[in-house]
Amino acid sequence: MDDFAALLIAEEPAAGVPDLFGRLIGSWRVNNRSLDEASGVWSEAEFTWTFVRTLDGLGVQDLIVLADGSIAGTSVRAWDADAEVWRVSWFGVRGRNFGSFVARPEGADGIRLEGSGQDGRALLWQFSDIQADGFSWDGQVETSAGWLHEQDMDAVRQSGPTVATAAPATD
């Protein structure tokens, strides 16, 4: 198993790959609020969100670990050189929710992910205010009544790089 981890994890981004997610590398303490769409009730939780470079520097993967040590899910992000976008797949194993996205820079300090969930509804996820010591994240789902804000997170760095890398150029 140690060989698998050593082969999976990369130290640097591959040459020519925009470092869109590089500012997130490390471990973060997260305060999370999520909406139960059926009941309309908001709940709060804290967890750890860790990001590492993977796939010879062509990817970034994360792991969300809940306070009890169980794993909520993981996202795998891979650079698609042909389309010049980041492809992202979310595997929410604990909540049984899954999504596929395309990610692009959003302004100087954000990342916008547009895609859909396993139920076919459109999803919009956004990292914003990415700084060396913290960031915000928001999730929305498209409903018949319009966009519904269903989750937000505030993250504070626990470990990893202490200086945010320069934001990638926006198109």
Side-chain angles (χ1 to χ4, degrees):
M1 288 305 251
D2 289 339
D3 291 342
F4 181 83
L7 289 169
L8 180 64
I9 296 173
E11 292 299 317
E12 297 294 328
V17 174
D19 200 16
L20 183 62
F21 293 97
R23 299 170 287 168
L24 301 175
I25 301 300
S27 184
W28 304 83
R29 187 77 193 144
V30 174
N31 290 314
N32 177 70
R33 289 180 4 111
S34 56
L35 176 67
D36 179 311
E37 193 175 340
S39 69
V41 174
W42 284 88
S43 62
E44 294 186 30
E46 288 192 356
F47 56 80
T48 301
W49 198 358
T50 302
F51 295 76
V52 297
R53 293 183 201 283
T54 58
L55 307 171
D56 288 333
L58 295 168
V60 171
Q61 186 168 352
D62 70 39
L63 189 65
I64 294 177
V65 180
L66 302 176
D68 67 3
S70 64
I71 296 172
T74 187
S75 287
V76 177
R77 300 159 181 84
W79 174 244
D80 180 342
D82 291 337
E84 296 185 341
V85 296
W86 282 88
R87 305 276 181 196
V88 180
S89 292
W90 160 248
F91 302 94
V93 294
R94 183 74 49 208
R96 295 181 183 93
N97 56 354
F98 306 90
S100 296
F101 302 86
V102 170
R104 293 183 175 87
E106 176 81 6
D109 64 354
I111 302 169
R112 182 181 180 97
L113 295 92
E114 297 178 79
S116 61
Q118 78 268 17
D119 62 3
R121 294 192 299 171
L123 298 172
L124 175 60
W125 291 358
Q126 191 159 356
F127 291 90
S128 60
D129 196 26
I130 302 171
Q131 305 295 320
D133 60 351
F135 65 84
S136 295
W137 184 98
D138 291 287
Q140 298 179 52
V141 61
E142 191 172 33
T143 69
S144 59
W147 286 97
L148 175 67
H149 178 226
E150 66 175 354
Q151 188 174 8
D152 59 66
M153 299 184 234
D154 292 309
V156 175
R157 185 177 294 281
Q158 288 186 302
S159 65
T162 56
V163 176
T165 58
T170 58
D171 295 329

